[in-house]
Amino acid sequence: MQLKITPKHLLLLLAGWTFALSAAAQWQWVGKDGRKVFSDRPPPSDIQDKDILKQPGGRRGAKAAVAPAEPAEAVSPVATAAPAVKANVPKISGKDKELEAKKKKLEDEEATKKKAEEEKVAKARADNCERAKKAMVTIQSGARISTTNTKGEREIMDDSGRAAESKRLQAITDSDCK
């Protein structure tokens, strides 16, 4: 099968290609929030010339020249048209409300998890403090205390063992009982 290109096909292809190029975004500028904006319309009037990166015709860095208005005396009443009405175009903030809501939800969930973890740690510290205080009372009472060694045999704690255990319990009390 052989493809035959006629002048009619070539003309249609060229017209479609030209239309596609004209539909592309021709303006490019840096918005107030620092993001690049691409549009087929000129930037708002509050955008400075230095922030315009590209405009139609391949010119860069300067706004398109706007024809100055003629003085009121020179305009004939017949040629006067209705004043141009600025379209009610919503301002785009550059922020996605749905994305912001998801982000806030994730931050809230993280804060809740962090708070739960902090409460868990605080409860564990309170339990450690209470156990250390009770063990300290037992150590200081002078009663005989037995422990089990690695062989599973029962041993009675001597004075040096009592002093070491008392020192360990005091360190726990100092760190967890605040």
Side-chain angles (χ1 to χ4, degrees), residues 9 29-30 51 70 72 86 96 104 113 125 129 134 139-140 155 159 161 175:
H9 288 118
W29 68 89
V30 178
D51 293 332
E70 295 180 18
K86 194 171 187 179
D96 184 3
K104 180 161 176 43
K113 286 180 184 178
R125 287 183 143 208
C129 175
K134 287 180 182 178
I139 290 287
Q140 291 174 347
E155 294 180 346
D159 288 338
S175 68

Side-chain angles (χ1 to χ4, degrees), residues 94-166:
K95 295 182 181 179
D96 184 3
K97 291 179 182 179
E98 186 177 318
L99 183 62
E100 292 291 326
K102 285 181 182 180
K103 184 177 177 183
K104 180 161 176 43
K105 183 179 177 183
L106 285 174
E107 288 173 353
D108 291 345
E109 288 175 0
E110 285 182 27
T112 303
K113 286 180 184 178
K114 186 176 180 181
K115 186 176 179 181
E117 186 65 29
E118 288 174 356
E119 289 174 356
K120 187 178 178 180
V121 169
K123 185 178 178 190
R125 287 183 143 208
D127 288 345
N128 286 344
C129 175
E130 193 62 35
R131 283 193 215 126
K133 284 181 179 179
K134 287 180 182 178
M136 186 65 95
V137 169
T138 304
I139 290 287
Q140 291 174 347
S141 71
R144 294 171 97 193
I145 299 175
S146 64
T147 59
T148 306
N149 65 13
T150 57
K151 297 179 184 175
E153 299 170 341
R154 192 172 183 186
E155 294 180 346
I156 303 297
M157 192 181 291
D158 60 352
D159 288 338
S160 63
R162 262 183 207 276
E165 186 64 14
S166 178

Side-chain angles (χ1 to χ4, degrees), residues 12-85:
L12 285 174
L13 182 64
L14 184 61
W17 183 68
T18 304
F19 179 73
L21 283 179
S22 66
Q26 298 173 349
W27 287 91
Q28 181 180 354
W29 68 89
V30 178
K32 289 182 180 179
D33 57 355
R35 295 183 184 178
K36 283 188 179 180
V37 179
F38 299 90
S39 178
D40 59 343
R41 297 181 182 172
S45 60
D46 58 341
I47 299 296
Q48 297 178 1
D49 288 343
K50 67 178 179 116
D51 293 332
I52 298 175
L53 304 174
K54 183 181 173 189
Q55 63 186 16
R59 290 174 283 162
R60 295 177 182 267
K63 286 188 180 179
V66 178
E70 295 180 18
E73 306 87 51
V75 177
S76 68
V78 176
T80 307
V85 179

